[in-house]
Amino acid sequence: MYAPISESTLPNEYLEVPERDVVTTSGIALTLINPAYMTRQVHELASKKSGLLGHITSLNPIRPENAADAWEKAALESFELHQDEASGFSDINGETYFRYMAPLYVSEACTKCHEAQGYKVGDVRGGISISLPSEYINSSSIIQTISLFSGHFILWMIGLMGINYSSGQLLNSAKRQRGFGEELKKSNDQMESERNLARQYFNISGVLLIKLDDEGFILSINQKAGEVLGADPETAKGLNWFNEFIPENIREEAREAHYKLMKGELDDYEYYANQIQTRTGELREIAWRNSVIRDDQGEIVSTLISGDDITDLNRSEIALQENERRLSTLMDNLTGMVYRCLNDSNWTMQFVSRGSEKLSGYTLEELIADPAFVYSNILYPDDRYRIWQQVQAVIQENMPFEVEFRIKHKNGDVRWVLARGLRVSSPEVSPEVLEGYIFDITERKQAEEMLESQLDEALRFQKVTVNRELRMKELQDEIKALKTGRITGVENEDN
């Protein structure tokens, strides 16, 4: 857009486009205002009125004054890595500011002014930042709390309010000049609407938000805090936080920390966790971050604490640790060995249970330390090829395998073991592994060998017995034949 040239609106020497400066037929000198120039004027007006700082910047600025400071440079570099936004605290001229920046992408319209810089549509051209001074934050504690603890959508709200505020200042200036009182009222109504929306976000925030005075009395709490504490946000006002909601065993310690925070002896935003006691007497574990709120003279007047209820998380972690302990105890007391190994020719072990030492004589550290250890030191040489063939044939059918083989114990004994397992193969598990259980079957094998020996002996005995009976029958038949022949000869002589 074109605007009359004045002391506050001089021609932009960095804007190199045709007809940047023109004169109307009535003799009024106009200069072309591009979006970056207009944004800069908005920011300057806001800065004069409220101390709210705005800056449009780039890693490759045309105007030297638009160069990024250290915080902005880091944010711009993160945009190049596809981060959507950046926020945090940093010092500007020795004062602490909350800062928010969003990227500016090159659109088709941008190429008119930036074509010479080689940008393409979709590139990150730069960013626009908003910095809220501590005075602004302290006079708007709700917005501060939400910006710190309620996620990206709250950061969006702060940015939106800052832009609306800046826009409002620019409009106010124009309205004073033109006497547009109705537009001014409309702008104020919009600002009030934004504040109400911020209060709504304060109440629907997913964290506990609690504001305390210098003595620890509750000034306000949000709905989430009321739900966790079992207290209505309205009736909770005026209650002493430490007497009502902090367990007695840590009450004085917490109260002392609060007093130190009010005196400025503790750092803001320091993370810590402690228990609270709800109205029902239940103890809940909360992770806290504290911040102080200052008045216009910079004096600390109250504290704002934000907390996440981590009770269920801690309970889950404790339950998980207990399950892991039970599983470890169970595996360590098994008579065999639980294992996890790569499906390679060395059966490279990734995990073995404590039962490995009783089974093989080797500790789990020895079994895992050398990838070729199990193959070269434990597996009986005559069984190696057979084991590999049997296991691979079964797992190709996605079936669990079971294979018997011999191992060499560390003391030199040869023992029989039975290995059971299955293949674990998925995108989350790479390379392919085998998991299962190995236990000692030496006594069973010895019993089988003894039974086989006894069976062989019985068969030999049976064979000898049968042969003896056959021989006895043959002898009996021979005797009978002899007797029969003798009798026949005597009868012939008588005749």
Side-chain angles (χ1 to χ4, degrees), residues 416 441-460:
W416 278 94
I441 59 170
T442 304
E443 292 183 358
R444 195 198 80 189
K445 279 291 187 179
Q446 290 174 344
E448 289 176 355
E449 291 173 357
M450 183 179 296
L451 288 174
E452 289 177 359
S453 176
Q454 291 175 350
L455 179 59
D456 290 342
E457 184 66 25
L459 289 174
R460 285 196 301 272

Side-chain angles (χ1 to χ4, degrees), residues 225-358:
E227 292 171 3
V228 174
L229 298 173
D232 180 79
E234 289 300 319
T235 58
K237 293 179 182 179
L239 297 177
N240 187 279
W241 168 250
F242 303 100
N243 294 340
E244 299 292 335
F245 299 106
I246 300 298
E248 187 175 357
N249 62 321
I250 61 171
R251 186 172 296 160
E252 291 307 314
E253 179 184 351
R255 197 191 306 273
E256 182 65 23
H258 174 72
Y259 290 153
K260 287 183 178 180
L261 188 65
M262 291 294 301
K263 294 177 182 178
E265 298 176 3
L266 291 181
D267 293 334
D268 286 9
Y269 317 117
E270 182 177 350
Y271 171 86
Y272 67 97
N274 71 310
Q275 288 185 327
I276 62 167
Q277 184 170 308
T278 69
R279 281 301 199 190
T280 61
E282 180 187 9
L283 295 178
R284 308 286 298 180
E285 188 79 11
I286 310 295
W288 299 104
R289 285 188 183 275
N290 291 341
S291 63
V292 297
I293 299 174
R294 302 175 185 270
D295 59 18
D296 292 340
Q297 287 71 45
E299 298 295 326
I300 299 175
V301 295
S302 58
T303 61
L304 195 62
I305 58 177
S306 169
D308 285 306
D309 189 346
I310 58 174
T311 307
D312 294 336
L313 177 62
N314 286 348
R315 289 172 179 171
S316 298
E317 290 179 351
I318 292 172
L320 178 60
Q321 292 172 0
E322 177 62 17
N323 289 337
E324 290 176 347
R325 184 196 64 77
R326 291 177 180 175
L327 179 60
S328 177
T329 301
L330 175 63
M331 289 192 298
D332 290 345
N333 286 280
L334 289 173
T335 55
M337 177 184 83
V338 178
Y339 71 91
R340 178 188 178 96
C341 71
L342 297 180
N343 185 28
D344 60 18
S345 58
N346 286 330
W347 309 108
T348 304
M349 291 293 168
Q350 294 184 327
F351 169 82
V352 294
S353 64
R354 292 287 176 185
S356 63
E357 190 162 2
K358 185 176 181 180

